Amino acid sequence: MNRLSNFFNSVLNQRKTAVGILILTALLAVGVSGCKNKNANSANVDDDPRAQPPFTSGVAPQPDAQVAVIECENPAYGKIVMELYPNIAPKMVARFKELIAKGFYNGVTFHRIDPNLGIIQGGDPLSKDADPANDGSGDSDLPNVPGEFSDLLYDTGIVGAARKGPGGPNKDGTPMTAKQAWDTANCQFFITLKRQIGFDRQYTIFGKVVQGMNNANIIAGAPVEQGTERPEEKIVIKSVTLEPRSNYVK
């Protein structure tokens, strides 16, 4: 009986020990998860891609007196008219207007179309050359524009400034952090074809399509090379011009 009693006591103690280890493991897991969440919600966390940059809150967009009018070489794609928001993103609007005045966008393409994600993207000077592999990686010869993030939502027709993502190389060869990537907008832009929750507060909003969303959708529906977001035939932007907003919005 004593041996049997000792045996049961030994088993019981082992079970208590195992339960104790499981409880301790669970508590440690909760602690680690809590630390991760704390970092994710902190602004200016340099190495956390989920960190939120500083942004403008509660400011209604006030359209510029001029709109940007995009015309493609293929008339089937029509015009896209975009109003600009200098009170939300003054630096990006100024850059966009400066490049338009120089004729920078004449001859570039909409190099990326993705109807499933719901965007079309263009403005890369490298899209003018014969190497499609470099499309999307080019900038103008002007310095990058700092991020001008806001609480405006990425709804249908929003015009955003494309930028680099974390992990890519800086000019000195070091990996780019999330915070550094916030300030890499330059010349490329994209138009959202539907609500994009994941883009909110992550990319500078500097305008919105006021005419021609049907044409943006036609562009998005063009055939692409298999397995890519690259149009089979180049969708060339003939010109981007600045015109009075009053010509299009009454």
Side-chain angles (χ1 to χ4, degrees), residues 109 111-112 124-138 188 230 234:
T109 73
H111 63 270
R112 180 187 182 193
D124 182 357
L126 295 180
S127 66
K128 294 181 179 182
D129 66 25
D131 180 11
N134 64 18
D135 292 0
S137 61
Q188 295 188 47
R230 186 166 55 240
K234 282 192 171 187

Side-chain angles (χ1 to χ4, degrees), residues 207-222:
K208 186 175 183 179
V209 174
V210 291
Q211 279 191 28
M213 267 309 299
N214 57 318
N215 295 325
N217 283 297
I218 291 171
I219 290 171

Side-chain angles (χ1 to χ4, degrees), residues 131-202:
D131 180 11
N134 64 18
D135 292 0
S137 61
D139 288 322
S140 73
D141 58 1
L142 299 174
N144 287 339
V145 180
E148 298 172 292
F149 306 101
S150 68
D151 61 358
L152 298 183
L153 302 181
Y154 267 95
D155 213 333
T156 302
I158 291 294
V159 182
R163 63 175 177 84
K164 295 177 175 62
N170 285 303
K171 290 182 179 179
D172 61 3
T174 59
M176 186 176 295
T177 65
K179 186 176 179 181
Q180 289 171 330
W182 296 339
D183 299 328
T184 57
N186 189 286
C187 59
Q188 295 188 47
F189 62 93
F190 60 89
I191 299 170
T192 51
L193 310 177
K194 59 185 178 182
R195 177 77 173 99
Q196 296 288 356
I197 296 174
F199 290 5
D200 292 348
R201 303 186 184 188
Q202 293 294 325

Side-chain angles (χ1 to χ4, degrees), residues 56 59-64 84-91 93 148 150 152 205-206:
T56 300
V59 178
Q62 297 176 4
D64 191 77
L84 307 174
Y85 300 147
N87 72 315
I88 300 296
K91 294 182 177 65
V93 169
E148 298 172 292
S150 68
L152 298 183
I205 289 176
F206 68 99

Side-chain angles (χ1 to χ4, degrees), residues 14-29:
Q14 289 175 5
R15 288 184 177 178
K16 288 180 178 179
T17 301
V19 170
I21 291 173
L22 288 173
I23 292 172
L24 179 60
T25 302
L27 289 172
L28 286 173

